[in-house]
Amino acid sequence: MDHLVKVREAHEKGLLPQDMLDLIKERFNLVESGIKRIEAASGTPYPISYVEPSAILSNSGNMSFEYGVLFARTLPVFFEEKFQVVIQISAPLVAFGLKGTIHAILAHEFLHYLELVRKISKMELLSDEISGNLFENVYADSTRLFEPRAVFDDKTLLTHITKKFPTGFKDYKLEDKTEKLWIARGLPVTNITLDTNTVKLSAESLSKVVLDPALLGKIKEFEERESKLRKRKLY
Protein backbone atom coordinates (compact mmCIF):
# COMPACT_ATOMS: atom_id res chain seq x y z
CA MET A 1 0.00 0.00 0.00
CA ASP A 2 1.17 3.54 -0.80
CA HIS A 3 0.85 5.32 2.56
CA LEU A 4 1.31 8.72 0.89
CA VAL A 5 -1.20 8.36 -1.93
CA LYS A 6 -3.59 10.97 -0.49
CA VAL A 7 -0.70 13.37 0.15
CA ARG A 8 0.38 13.12 -3.51
CA GLU A 9 -3.22 13.62 -4.66
CA ALA A 10 -3.50 16.76 -2.51
CA HIS A 11 -0.31 18.11 -4.10
CA GLU A 12 -1.59 17.37 -7.61
CA LYS A 13 -4.80 19.26 -6.82
CA GLY A 14 -2.82 22.27 -5.64
CA LEU A 15 -3.85 21.87 -2.00
CA LEU A 16 -0.38 21.03 -0.74
CA PRO A 17 2.72 23.05 -1.76
CA GLN A 18 5.87 21.37 -3.07
CA ASP A 19 7.94 22.19 0.02
CA MET A 20 5.44 20.46 2.32
CA LEU A 21 5.18 17.43 0.04
CA ASP A 22 8.97 17.13 0.07
CA LEU A 23 9.10 17.49 3.88
CA ILE A 24 6.48 14.79 4.43
CA LYS A 25 8.20 12.41 1.99
CA GLU A 26 11.59 13.07 3.60
CA ARG A 27 10.33 12.43 7.14
CA PHE A 28 8.01 9.49 6.40
CA ASN A 29 10.86 7.11 7.22
CA LEU A 30 10.16 7.97 10.89
CA VAL A 31 6.67 6.51 10.45
CA GLU A 32 8.03 3.41 8.72
CA SER A 33 10.60 2.80 11.44
CA GLY A 34 7.89 3.31 14.08
CA ILE A 35 5.62 0.71 12.49
CA LYS A 36 8.49 -1.81 12.27
CA ARG A 37 9.40 -1.09 15.88
CA ILE A 38 5.83 -1.64 17.10
CA GLU A 39 5.53 -4.88 15.15
CA ALA A 40 8.80 -6.15 16.64
CA ALA A 41 7.85 -5.06 20.18
CA SER A 42 4.39 -6.67 20.06
CA GLY A 43 4.88 -9.60 17.70
CA THR A 44 1.78 -8.41 15.84
CA PRO A 45 1.37 -6.84 12.37
CA TYR A 46 0.41 -3.15 12.28
CA PRO A 47 -2.96 -2.44 10.65
CA ILE A 48 -3.40 -0.60 7.35
CA SER A 49 -2.35 3.04 7.68
CA TYR A 50 -2.12 6.16 5.54
CA VAL A 51 -1.21 9.82 5.87
CA GLU A 52 -4.16 12.22 5.79
CA PRO A 53 -3.03 15.48 4.07
CA SER A 54 -4.72 17.78 6.57
CA ALA A 55 -4.66 18.95 10.15
CA ILE A 56 -7.51 17.26 12.03
CA LEU A 57 -9.22 19.55 14.53
CA SER A 58 -11.78 18.25 17.00
CA ASN A 59 -14.26 20.39 18.91
CA SER A 60 -17.13 19.67 21.27
CA GLY A 61 -19.77 20.75 18.75
CA ASN A 62 -21.56 23.01 21.28
CA MET A 63 -20.65 26.35 19.65
CA SER A 64 -17.53 26.45 21.82
CA PHE A 65 -14.19 27.74 20.54
CA GLU A 66 -12.46 24.90 22.39
CA TYR A 67 -10.72 22.51 20.04
CA GLY A 68 -7.94 19.99 20.05
CA VAL A 69 -5.56 18.74 17.38
CA LEU A 70 -5.81 15.03 16.61
CA PHE A 71 -2.58 13.67 15.19
CA ALA A 72 -3.89 10.18 14.42
CA ARG A 73 -7.17 8.24 14.53
CA THR A 74 -8.16 4.59 14.50
CA LEU A 75 -11.07 4.08 12.11
CA PRO A 76 -13.20 0.96 11.53
CA VAL A 77 -14.34 0.72 7.90
CA PHE A 78 -16.28 -1.67 5.71
CA PHE A 79 -14.89 -1.92 2.18
CA GLU A 80 -16.50 -4.27 -0.32
CA GLU A 81 -18.29 -5.94 2.64
CA LYS A 82 -14.97 -6.61 4.35
CA PHE A 83 -14.16 -5.17 7.76
CA GLN A 84 -10.87 -3.37 8.23
CA VAL A 85 -9.30 -1.13 10.83
CA VAL A 86 -7.34 1.78 9.38
CA ILE A 87 -4.93 4.10 11.18
CA GLN A 88 -5.22 7.65 9.85
CA ILE A 89 -2.01 9.63 10.47
CA SER A 90 -2.19 13.41 10.11
CA ALA A 91 0.32 15.08 7.81
CA PRO A 92 1.41 17.66 10.46
CA LEU A 93 2.54 14.80 12.71
CA VAL A 94 4.79 13.47 9.96
CA ALA A 95 6.03 16.94 9.01
CA PHE A 96 6.75 18.32 12.49
CA GLY A 97 6.77 15.49 15.04
CA LEU A 98 9.90 14.28 16.80
CA LYS A 99 10.80 10.61 16.35
CA GLY A 100 9.76 9.68 19.91
CA THR A 101 6.45 11.50 19.53
CA ILE A 102 5.64 9.84 16.22
CA HIS A 103 6.45 6.39 17.60
CA ALA A 104 4.42 7.02 20.77
CA ILE A 105 1.35 8.13 18.80
CA LEU A 106 1.61 5.18 16.41
CA ALA A 107 1.87 2.84 19.41
CA HIS A 108 -1.09 4.51 21.10
CA GLU A 109 -3.25 4.03 18.01
CA PHE A 110 -2.08 0.40 17.85
CA LEU A 111 -3.49 -0.04 21.36
CA HIS A 112 -6.77 1.45 20.13
CA TYR A 113 -6.72 -1.06 17.26
CA LEU A 114 -6.23 -4.01 19.63
CA GLU A 115 -8.98 -2.81 21.96
CA LEU A 116 -11.36 -2.27 19.05
CA VAL A 117 -10.76 -5.80 17.73
CA ARG A 118 -11.08 -7.22 21.26
CA LYS A 119 -14.46 -5.56 21.77
CA ILE A 120 -15.72 -6.63 18.37
CA SER A 121 -14.65 -10.23 18.99
CA LYS A 122 -16.73 -10.25 22.18
CA MET A 123 -19.68 -8.40 20.61
CA GLU A 124 -19.23 -5.58 23.12
CA LEU A 125 -19.06 -2.70 20.64
CA LEU A 126 -22.55 -1.67 19.59
CA SER A 127 -21.84 1.98 20.32
CA ASP A 128 -19.00 3.76 21.99
CA GLU A 129 -19.44 6.43 24.65
CA ILE A 130 -19.67 10.05 23.54
CA SER A 131 -18.03 12.71 25.71
CA GLY A 132 -19.27 16.25 26.01
CA ASN A 133 -15.93 18.03 26.03
CA LEU A 134 -12.31 17.51 25.13
CA PHE A 135 -11.15 16.87 28.70
CA GLU A 136 -13.73 14.11 29.19
CA ASN A 137 -12.77 12.63 25.82
CA VAL A 138 -9.08 12.52 26.82
CA TYR A 139 -10.01 10.74 30.04
CA ALA A 140 -12.20 8.19 28.27
CA ASP A 141 -9.48 7.63 25.71
CA SER A 142 -6.97 6.70 28.40
CA THR A 143 -9.25 4.30 30.25
CA ARG A 144 -10.23 1.85 27.50
CA LEU A 145 -6.87 0.67 26.24
CA PHE A 146 -4.57 -2.24 26.94
CA GLU A 147 -1.81 -1.63 29.46
CA PRO A 148 1.17 -0.83 27.18
CA ARG A 149 3.50 -3.08 29.21
CA ALA A 150 1.24 -6.04 28.41
CA VAL A 151 1.71 -5.44 24.68
CA PHE A 152 5.21 -4.02 24.10
CA ASP A 153 8.60 -5.31 25.27
CA ASP A 154 10.53 -2.25 24.04
CA LYS A 155 11.52 -0.23 27.13
CA THR A 156 12.34 2.94 25.20
CA LEU A 157 9.02 2.80 23.36
CA LEU A 158 7.22 2.32 26.68
CA THR A 159 9.00 5.39 28.04
CA HIS A 160 7.86 7.45 25.04
CA ILE A 161 4.26 6.32 25.56
CA THR A 162 4.35 7.04 29.30
CA LYS A 163 5.77 10.53 28.79
CA LYS A 164 3.40 11.48 25.97
CA PHE A 165 0.20 9.94 27.37
CA PRO A 166 0.17 10.40 31.16
CA THR A 167 -3.48 11.57 31.05
CA GLY A 168 -4.04 11.99 27.33
CA PHE A 169 -1.64 13.15 24.64
CA LYS A 170 -0.15 16.61 24.93
CA ASP A 171 2.79 18.04 22.96
CA TYR A 172 2.75 21.84 23.07
CA LYS A 173 5.66 22.26 20.64
CA LEU A 174 4.03 20.02 18.05
CA GLU A 175 0.69 21.76 18.45
CA ASP A 176 2.40 25.17 18.13
CA LYS A 177 4.17 24.13 14.93
CA THR A 178 0.92 22.74 13.54
CA GLU A 179 -0.80 26.05 14.27
CA LYS A 180 1.94 28.30 12.86
CA LEU A 181 3.39 26.22 10.02
CA TRP A 182 0.25 24.45 8.80
CA ILE A 183 -3.03 26.07 9.84
CA ALA A 184 -1.79 29.67 9.59
CA ARG A 185 -0.48 28.93 6.07
CA GLY A 186 -3.98 27.99 4.98
CA LEU A 187 -3.10 24.36 4.38
CA PRO A 188 -5.92 21.75 4.47
CA VAL A 189 -7.85 21.37 7.73
CA THR A 190 -10.48 18.77 8.60
CA ASN A 191 -12.92 19.77 11.36
CA ILE A 192 -14.73 17.04 13.26
CA THR A 193 -16.90 16.97 16.36
CA LEU A 194 -16.21 14.56 19.19
CA ASP A 195 -19.17 12.34 18.36
CA THR A 196 -17.71 11.70 14.88
CA ASN A 197 -14.52 10.46 16.52
CA THR A 198 -16.34 7.68 18.37
CA VAL A 199 -16.90 4.17 17.09
CA LYS A 200 -20.42 3.07 16.21
CA LEU A 201 -21.13 -0.30 14.63
CA SER A 202 -24.54 -1.90 14.27
CA ALA A 203 -25.28 -5.45 15.37
CA GLU A 204 -25.76 -6.34 11.70
CA SER A 205 -22.32 -4.97 10.83
CA LEU A 206 -20.72 -6.84 13.71
CA SER A 207 -22.28 -10.11 12.59
CA LYS A 208 -20.46 -9.82 9.24
CA VAL A 209 -17.02 -9.24 10.75
CA VAL A 210 -14.41 -11.96 10.20
CA LEU A 211 -11.36 -11.60 12.43
CA ASP A 212 -7.92 -13.14 12.04
CA PRO A 213 -7.57 -16.09 14.47
CA ALA A 214 -3.84 -15.34 14.90
CA LEU A 215 -4.64 -11.77 15.96
CA LEU A 216 -7.28 -12.98 18.41
CA GLY A 217 -4.69 -15.36 19.85
CA LYS A 218 -2.25 -12.49 20.42
CA ILE A 219 -4.98 -10.41 22.04
CA LYS A 220 -5.66 -13.30 24.40
CA GLU A 221 -1.95 -13.30 25.31
CA PHE A 222 -2.06 -9.55 25.97
CA GLU A 223 -5.13 -9.99 28.19
CA GLU A 224 -3.33 -12.65 30.25
CA ARG A 225 -0.24 -10.44 30.62
CA GLU A 226 -2.40 -7.51 31.63
CA SER A 227 -4.14 -9.64 34.25
CA LYS A 228 -0.77 -10.62 35.74
CA LEU A 229 0.35 -6.98 35.83
CA ARG A 230 -2.82 -5.99 37.70
CA LYS A 231 -2.26 -8.75 40.26
CA ARG A 232 1.26 -7.48 40.87
CA LYS A 233 -0.13 -4.03 41.61
CA LEU A 234 -2.59 -5.50 44.12
CA TYR A 235 0.07 -7.46 45.96
Side-chain angles (χ1 to χ4, degrees), residues 82-122:
K82 290 184 179 180
F83 174 77
Q84 292 180 326
V85 178
V86 177
I87 307 297
Q88 182 188 70
I89 305 163
S90 79
L93 173 63
V94 183
F96 312 127
L98 297 176
K99 176 182 176 180
T101 299
I102 292 173
H103 288 194
I105 290 177
L106 291 175
H108 185 76
E109 294 306 318
F110 185 72
L111 295 177
H112 271 298
Y113 160 64
L114 294 177
E115 180 64 11
L116 179 58
V117 173
R118 186 195 71 78
K119 283 189 173 183
I120 290 172
S121 70
K122 297 182 179 181

Side-chain angles (χ1 to χ4, degrees), residues 24-81:
I24 292 169
K25 288 168 63 177
E26 177 186 337
R27 303 190 85 245
F28 186 71
N29 68 304
L30 296 176
V31 174
E32 292 177 312
S33 65
I35 290 174
K36 290 178 181 177
R37 183 180 193 177
I38 290 162
E39 290 180 333
S42 65
T44 308
Y46 204 81
I48 294 170
S49 60
Y50 75 95
V51 178
E52 170 65 28
S54 65
I56 305 168
L57 306 184
S58 174
N59 62 66
S60 57
N62 59 1
M63 302 302 288
S64 169
F65 290 103
E66 176 189 32
Y67 74 87
V69 182
L70 297 179
F71 291 103
R73 295 196 292 165
T74 300
L75 305 173
V77 297
F78 278 92
F79 180 70
E80 295 180 351
E81 297 193 357

Side-chain angles (χ1 to χ4, degrees), residues 11 26 41 51 55 63 65 73 100 105 144 148 151 162 164 196 205 209 213 216 222 230 233:
H11 174 255
E26 177 186 337
V51 178
M63 302 302 288
F65 290 103
R73 295 196 292 165
I105 290 177
R144 59 179 172 218
V151 177
T162 302
K164 295 298 180 183
T196 63
S205 296
V209 173
L216 295 179
F222 299 147
R230 285 175 179 168
K233 285 184 179 180

Side-chain angles (χ1 to χ4, degrees), residues 220-231:
K220 182 67 175 176
E221 284 183 30
F222 299 147
E223 287 178 328
E224 291 171 356
R225 290 181 199 168
E226 190 171 55
S227 178
K228 290 178 181 178
L229 288 169
R230 285 175 179 168
K231 287 179 181 178

Side-chain angles (χ1 to χ4, degrees), residues 175-215:
E175 291 179 1
D176 187 57
K177 284 185 177 181
T178 300
E179 178 67 40
K180 293 178 179 178
L181 304 179
W182 189 281
I183 299 172
R185 285 185 64 182
L187 298 181
V189 171
T190 299
N191 290 287
I192 65 172
T193 56
L194 288 181
D195 59 347
T196 63
N197 198 43
T198 56
V199 177
K200 301 173 186 176
L201 296 175
S202 68
E204 182 183 1
S205 296
L206 282 174
S207 67
K208 296 178 181 178
V209 173
V210 178
L211 299 173
D212 180 4
L215 175 58

